[in-house]
Every structure is written in C-alpha cells, then in structure tokens.
C-alpha cells in the first residue's frame, strides 16, 4: 500500500460532498466502525478512517472482527446497539434485516448512492452493497490442460474430477455457488434439492473455510481448480504463482459487503456519512488498488494496468450474477444443516 496519503486525503476532503467538514468538529464519543482483520484492518486504520475524519470531522474507532461477531453484538445490544452501521455479506445482512434491526438509508444523506452501479442499492433503500469482490474460476496453469470457460465445465470436463476445491457452507462463497448450481441445473436459484444433487456429482472435492485456504490448496497442488475471488488470485500472481482466473460465460459471482443503518444505533448521522464516504469514487478506486475489488461507484477510475487485471469494472459490473437473499432467510438454517449432513 505505497500510497500518497496526503494528496489522497486532500482530494477526498474536496470531494466528500455534503459531508465535508461536519459542523460538529469532532464527535463527543467515537463512532464505532466494524471491519475485518488483516489487510482490511490495516487499510481502515492507516487510510480509510483518517481520511473519513479529515473529510467529515467525525472520529471513528475500529472494531475488528468477523461478520458473525458483528451480528452477535447487534443482537445482544437490543435497543442499544454498539454499532450504528453494519458491514457484512448481504446474506448475513438479510437475516438481521428480517429481524428488524435495520432501517432504510436516508438517501438525502448519502448522495454518492445515486452513482452506484445498478443492482447495488437494495429495494426500499434497505442497505447497499459497498464493496464488491468478484468470484471466478481459478486454476493452476501447470495442472490444467483445458482452461475452463463455463461454470458447467466443473461438471463436464473429466480432467477436473477429484481436483476441485469448494468453500464450506460457513463461507458466503458456498451459498453463492449452491444457488448458482440451482440456477444452472434446476428450476431456479432456490431449487436447493437439485443443487445438492449436482454438488454431490462433483465429489470428491476439497472444502475450505476461507479464500486463503483455497490459495494454499492451489499452491500445494491439492486442488487444480476452484471458485475463488479475484483478490486472492491476483495476490498469488503478484508472488509469481502459476495461477489464472477466468470470467465464466454465464458471469461471475461476488462477495458483496452490505452496509446498513442500525435502527438502535446512537450515531445514525455518522453512519450515513461513513457509507457516503466509503462509496466515494476516489475511495473505491483506491480500494481497488489495495484489494483488487471492483469499484461500486460509476465515476471511479481504474488505471490502465490495473484495469487489465480486473475484468469486472465499469459496464462489466452487469456480469455479476446476483441473488435475492430475503426469501433465503427462511431456509438458511435448514440448508446449512443439510450441507453438514450430506456434503460434510
């Protein structure tokens, strides 16, 4: 992350729109910002939180954890949530939304939301997807003779048999792949019976709980091919690994981080300002450099060299296969239990 932080922050201060230099110079108490660990926490601590403070005057304090941790704290907080903003995969956000913990975004307070690519603002303004990490088919170039072109190649190409890696059900990637399988082979993306039948046809396969495990399995040669996000594969390529990733003919899946206003949060104005800042065009472009994510803002500019490595940017964001997670809420627990019993 060799960034010109001073010039970057100065540009963001000028472009933060309605929230530049809030009338309250600094918050009476810190605004709690949930985020993930590792590189995420480093970027938030060193770049995003200072930039947010400089652009808005709002002091943020990080709470580093996993989506499940944020969910537990919101549920435990009841009428006094420790968070005013939630960050987590959209399928997790749908659970909390169904339980009544969120309220619609006040669009007047998030002007950058009008610049989002289509499909990233939820119906009724009930949250938006502010960070997008596309998932394609990754493979070892020295272990695969025929590069995949379609998701169905995982079933149809015999050289992949017994050499496939998949996510475990606790990872959003597993749910995305399950619903994709239902869409490809069943009556629709909620045809779970057909999805399980088809998944069993891929056995035996290696399961991983997170993308780093997929990378490790690829590098050890335990697997030759797997659905995985661009972030992980481009990072491996940076290290000289013999891996490639493709956009399947049908389109890509994507980890989509959902940002929502917590109904019982004490700092909702700060939460709106934070979401507005996060989806700022320059912030999104900078995150693409660090995480290889696809900018959600239509005005974000990705430079030529990086754009060549990120095929899902700009108009190509339409190639993301998305699912409605609200109707999935009622079957989520049963699907997880069935996966553990039948897939292992």
């Amino acid at each position: 992350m060799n960034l010109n932080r001073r010039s970057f922050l100065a540009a963001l201060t000028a472009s933060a729109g309605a929230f530049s230099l809030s009338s309250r110079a600094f918050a009476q108490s810190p605004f709690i910002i949930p985020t993930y660990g590792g590189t995420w926490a480093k970027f938030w601590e060193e770049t995003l939180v200072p930039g947010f403070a400089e652009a808005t005057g709002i002091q943020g304090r990080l709470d580093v954890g996993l989506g499940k941790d944020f969910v537990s704290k919101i549920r435990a907080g009841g009428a006094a949530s420790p968070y005013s903003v939630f960050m987590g995969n959209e399928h997790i956000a749908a659970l909390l939304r169904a339980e009544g913990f969120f309220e619609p975004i006040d669009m007047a307070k998030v002007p950058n939301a009008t610049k989002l690519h289509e499909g990233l603002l939820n119906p009724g303004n009930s949250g938006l997807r502010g960070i997008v990490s596309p998932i394609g088919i990754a493979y070892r170039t020295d272990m695969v003779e025929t590069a995949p072109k379609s998701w169905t190649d995982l079933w149809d190409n015999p050289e992949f048999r017994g050499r496939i890696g998949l996510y475990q059900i606790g990872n959003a990637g597993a749910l995305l792949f399950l619903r994709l399988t239902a869409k490809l082979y069943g009556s629709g993306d909620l045809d779970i019976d057909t999805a399980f039948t088809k998944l069993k046809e891929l056995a035996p396969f290696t399961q991983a709980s997170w993308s780093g495990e997929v990378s490790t399995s690829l590098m050890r040669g335990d697997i030759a091919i797997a659905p995985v996000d661009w972030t992980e594969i481009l990072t491996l390529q940076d290290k000289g690994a013999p891996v490639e990733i493709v956009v399947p003919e049908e389109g890509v899946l994507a980890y989509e981080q959902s940002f929502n206003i917590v109904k019982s949060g004490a700092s909702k104005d700060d939460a709106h300002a934070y979401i507005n800042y996060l989806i700022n065009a320059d912030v999104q472009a900078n995150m693409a450099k660090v995480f290889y994510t696809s900018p959600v803002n239509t005005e974000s500019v990705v430079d030529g060299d990086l754009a060549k490595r990120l095929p899902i940017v700009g108009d190509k964001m339409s190639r993301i296969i998305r699912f409605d997670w609200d109707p999935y809420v009622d079957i989520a627990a049963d699907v997880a239990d069935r996966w553990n019993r039948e897939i292992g």
Side-chain angles (χ1 to χ4, degrees), residues 4-17:
N4 187 335
R5 180 176 173 277
R6 182 177 297 277
S7 60
F8 175 65
L9 296 183
L12 289 179
T13 299
S15 62

PDB file of all heavy atoms in Angstrom, residues 4-17:
ATOM      1  N   ASN A   4       0.225   7.790  -1.864  1.00  0.00           N
ATOM      2  CA  ASN A   4       0.491   9.170  -1.491  1.00  0.00           C
ATOM      3  C   ASN A   4      -0.662   9.617  -0.618  1.00  0.00           C
ATOM      4  O   ASN A   4      -1.641  10.180  -1.089  1.00  0.00           O
ATOM      5  CB  ASN A   4       0.604  10.053  -2.743  1.00  0.00           C
ATOM      6  CG  ASN A   4       1.057  11.458  -2.396  1.00  0.00           C
ATOM      7  OD1 ASN A   4       0.846  11.928  -1.273  1.00  0.00           O
ATOM      8  ND2 ASN A   4       1.673  12.117  -3.343  1.00  0.00           N
ATOM      9  N   ARG A   5      -0.557   9.325   0.671  1.00  0.00           N
ATOM     10  CA  ARG A   5      -1.688   9.503   1.567  1.00  0.00           C
ATOM     11  C   ARG A   5      -2.118  10.960   1.675  1.00  0.00           C
ATOM     12  O   ARG A   5      -3.304  11.283   1.685  1.00  0.00           O
ATOM     13  CB  ARG A   5      -1.337   8.964   2.959  1.00  0.00           C
ATOM     14  CG  ARG A   5      -2.457   9.097   3.970  1.00  0.00           C
ATOM     15  CD  ARG A   5      -2.060   8.449   5.302  1.00  0.00           C
ATOM     16  NE  ARG A   5      -3.061   8.721   6.297  1.00  0.00           N
ATOM     17  CZ  ARG A   5      -3.120   9.827   7.012  1.00  0.00           C
ATOM     18  NH1 ARG A   5      -2.229  10.788   6.806  1.00  0.00           N
ATOM     19  NH2 ARG A   5      -4.064  10.015   7.923  1.00  0.00           N
ATOM     20  N   ARG A   6      -1.166  11.879   1.717  1.00  0.00           N
ATOM     21  CA  ARG A   6      -1.509  13.288   1.897  1.00  0.00           C
ATOM     22  C   ARG A   6      -2.348  13.803   0.738  1.00  0.00           C
ATOM     23  O   ARG A   6      -3.398  14.410   0.919  1.00  0.00           O
ATOM     24  CB  ARG A   6      -0.249  14.136   2.061  1.00  0.00           C
ATOM     25  CG  ARG A   6      -0.537  15.624   2.299  1.00  0.00           C
ATOM     26  CD  ARG A   6       0.754  16.374   2.531  1.00  0.00           C
ATOM     27  NE  ARG A   6       1.447  15.917   3.722  1.00  0.00           N
ATOM     28  CZ  ARG A   6       1.157  16.335   4.947  1.00  0.00           C
ATOM     29  NH1 ARG A   6       0.186  17.213   5.136  1.00  0.00           N
ATOM     30  NH2 ARG A   6       1.832  15.897   5.982  1.00  0.00           N
ATOM     31  N   SER A   7      -1.907  13.513  -0.499  1.00  0.00           N
ATOM     32  CA  SER A   7      -2.661  14.000  -1.652  1.00  0.00           C
ATOM     33  C   SER A   7      -3.986  13.278  -1.774  1.00  0.00           C
ATOM     34  O   SER A   7      -4.995  13.855  -2.186  1.00  0.00           O
ATOM     35  CB  SER A   7      -1.845  13.822  -2.935  1.00  0.00           C
ATOM     36  OG  SER A   7      -1.543  12.464  -3.148  1.00  0.00           O
ATOM     37  N   PHE A   8      -3.995  11.998  -1.407  1.00  0.00           N
ATOM     38  CA  PHE A   8      -5.239  11.230  -1.476  1.00  0.00           C
ATOM     39  C   PHE A   8      -6.277  11.795  -0.512  1.00  0.00           C
ATOM     40  O   PHE A   8      -7.426  12.025  -0.867  1.00  0.00           O
ATOM     41  CB  PHE A   8      -4.943   9.765  -1.140  1.00  0.00           C
ATOM     42  CG  PHE A   8      -6.170   8.901  -1.055  1.00  0.00           C
ATOM     43  CD1 PHE A   8      -6.941   8.669  -2.185  1.00  0.00           C
ATOM     44  CD2 PHE A   8      -6.546   8.316   0.146  1.00  0.00           C
ATOM     45  CE1 PHE A   8      -8.061   7.870  -2.117  1.00  0.00           C
ATOM     46  CE2 PHE A   8      -7.666   7.527   0.223  1.00  0.00           C
ATOM     47  CZ  PHE A   8      -8.427   7.296  -0.917  1.00  0.00           C
ATOM     48  N   LEU A   9      -5.865  12.060   0.708  1.00  0.00           N
ATOM     49  CA  LEU A   9      -6.796  12.600   1.693  1.00  0.00           C
ATOM     50  C   LEU A   9      -7.259  14.001   1.306  1.00  0.00           C
ATOM     51  O   LEU A   9      -8.416  14.366   1.511  1.00  0.00           O
ATOM     52  CB  LEU A   9      -6.144  12.629   3.087  1.00  0.00           C
ATOM     53  CG  LEU A   9      -5.778  11.263   3.680  1.00  0.00           C
ATOM     54  CD1 LEU A   9      -5.219  11.449   5.089  1.00  0.00           C
ATOM     55  CD2 LEU A   9      -6.990  10.361   3.726  1.00  0.00           C
ATOM     56  N   ALA A  10      -6.353  14.778   0.745  1.00  0.00           N
ATOM     57  CA  ALA A  10      -6.731  16.127   0.335  1.00  0.00           C
ATOM     58  C   ALA A  10      -7.794  16.088  -0.755  1.00  0.00           C
ATOM     59  O   ALA A  10      -8.768  16.849  -0.739  1.00  0.00           O
ATOM     60  CB  ALA A  10      -5.503  16.888  -0.169  1.00  0.00           C
ATOM     61  N   ALA A  11      -7.632  15.158  -1.693  1.00  0.00           N
ATOM     62  CA  ALA A  11      -8.613  15.033  -2.775  1.00  0.00           C
ATOM     63  C   ALA A  11      -9.955  14.595  -2.239  1.00  0.00           C
ATOM     64  O   ALA A  11     -11.005  15.081  -2.658  1.00  0.00           O
ATOM     65  CB  ALA A  11      -8.107  14.036  -3.816  1.00  0.00           C
ATOM     66  N   LEU A  12      -9.932  13.679  -1.273  1.00  0.00           N
ATOM     67  CA  LEU A  12     -11.193  13.195  -0.721  1.00  0.00           C
ATOM     68  C   LEU A  12     -11.896  14.269   0.091  1.00  0.00           C
ATOM     69  O   LEU A  12     -13.120  14.370   0.110  1.00  0.00           O
ATOM     70  CB  LEU A  12     -10.944  11.970   0.155  1.00  0.00           C
ATOM     71  CG  LEU A  12     -10.565  10.713  -0.624  1.00  0.00           C
ATOM     72  CD1 LEU A  12     -10.304   9.567   0.332  1.00  0.00           C
ATOM     73  CD2 LEU A  12     -11.667  10.344  -1.594  1.00  0.00           C
ATOM     74  N   THR A  13     -11.129  15.097   0.794  1.00  0.00           N
ATOM     75  CA  THR A  13     -11.730  16.186   1.557  1.00  0.00           C
ATOM     76  C   THR A  13     -12.480  17.113   0.626  1.00  0.00           C
ATOM     77  O   THR A  13     -13.573  17.592   0.937  1.00  0.00           O
ATOM     78  CB  THR A  13     -10.635  16.971   2.305  1.00  0.00           C
ATOM     79  OG1 THR A  13      -9.968  16.090   3.207  1.00  0.00           O
ATOM     80  CG2 THR A  13     -11.233  18.120   3.100  1.00  0.00           C
ATOM     81  N   ALA A  14     -11.935  17.325  -0.551  1.00  0.00           N
ATOM     82  CA  ALA A  14     -12.582  18.219  -1.509  1.00  0.00           C
ATOM     83  C   ALA A  14     -13.785  17.581  -2.163  1.00  0.00           C
ATOM     84  O   ALA A  14     -14.714  18.267  -2.589  1.00  0.00           O
ATOM     85  CB  ALA A  14     -11.573  18.629  -2.587  1.00  0.00           C
ATOM     86  N   SER A  15     -13.791  16.226  -2.239  1.00  0.00           N
ATOM     87  CA  SER A  15     -14.856  15.558  -2.985  1.00  0.00           C
ATOM     88  C   SER A  15     -15.880  14.864  -2.116  1.00  0.00           C
ATOM     89  O   SER A  15     -16.746  14.172  -2.610  1.00  0.00           O
ATOM     90  CB  SER A  15     -14.242  14.515  -3.929  1.00  0.00           C
ATOM     91  OG  SER A  15     -13.567  13.523  -3.180  1.00  0.00           O
ATOM     92  N   ALA A  16     -15.816  15.044  -0.818  1.00  0.00           N
ATOM     93  CA  ALA A  16     -16.718  14.324   0.084  1.00  0.00           C
ATOM     94  C   ALA A  16     -18.132  14.857   0.047  1.00  0.00           C
ATOM     95  O   ALA A  16     -19.029  14.335   0.676  1.00  0.00           O
ATOM     96  CB  ALA A  16     -16.187  14.369   1.526  1.00  0.00           C
ATOM     97  N   GLY A  17     -18.360  15.914  -0.683  1.00  0.00           N
ATOM     98  CA  GLY A  17     -19.721  16.395  -0.912  1.00  0.00           C
ATOM     99  C   GLY A  17     -20.338  17.011   0.323  1.00  0.00           C
ATOM    100  O   GLY A  17     -19.716  17.786   1.042  1.00  0.00           O
TER     101      GLY A  17
END
